[in-house]
Amino acid sequence: MKKKQSTVPSGNGNESQSTREGTLDDVNKKIVALLQEDGRRSYVSIGKEIGLSEAAVRLRVQKMLDDGVMQIVAVTNPMEMGFRRQAMVGITVNGDIEYVAQKLKDIRQIDYIIITAGRFDILAEVFAEDDESMLELVNRQIRKIDGIDRTELFTYMRLESQRYDWGVR
């Protein structure tokens, strides 16, 4: 299958955003790196640092957002938001793994879902207000999904480090 090529003007029209799906050019990598440092940074400021117009930066950022390359979000500390319990749930599936993953997407207290190759078929990070809410989530929502054979809960004791600047190289 041929990879799609997407192009976005960089200001002078001679550069492309990516040459193949999943590969960013150096300019977009620099934009991402700057936004990882400060997601509120202005397009004018980014443009001055990398030598593009504000409009060119805006177009590139919008294209990366539209393509799902990145998201610009407010990252919160769950403890400060009233969620006293976080855990990783290892899930063993008896049946269609993708079906189970799709069902898990409907549960609001799951912030990400990973299909894996290893001890567990799926890993899901969950958050809850307290122990009782965590029990309700795991026992009455997650374990009730058809195809789930077994779950193992890894309760977080303390979030030691969380980084979001790993994506640019």
Side-chain angles (χ1 to χ4, degrees), residues 55-75:
V57 172
R58 181 179 307 281
L59 284 171
R60 283 174 170 264
V61 169
Q62 190 59 54
K63 178 74 171 140
M64 288 187 285
L65 292 170
D66 291 346
D67 288 349
V69 170
M70 69 175 185
Q71 296 176 343
I72 301 172
V73 299
V75 178

Side-chain angles (χ1 to χ4, degrees), residues 3-67:
K3 299 276 186 178
K4 74 176 184 181
Q5 180 169 347
S6 69
T7 58
V8 173
S10 65
N12 64 13
N14 294 330
E15 299 177 42
S16 69
Q17 180 174 350
S18 64
T19 56
R20 60 188 163 95
E21 196 173 277
T23 303
L24 298 179
D25 68 13
D26 289 340
V27 174
N28 275 5
K29 288 178 181 180
K30 183 65 176 172
I31 291 170
V32 171
L34 292 170
L35 287 170
Q36 284 177 328
E37 289 174 15
D38 180 1
R40 299 173 299 157
R41 189 166 181 168
S42 74
Y43 295 153
V44 170
S45 169
I46 293 170
K48 283 181 182 177
E49 184 156 337
I50 63 176
L52 292 179
S53 70
E54 178 269 343
V57 172
R58 181 179 307 281
L59 284 171
R60 283 174 170 264
V61 169
Q62 190 59 54
K63 178 74 171 140
M64 288 187 285
L65 292 170
D66 291 346
D67 288 349

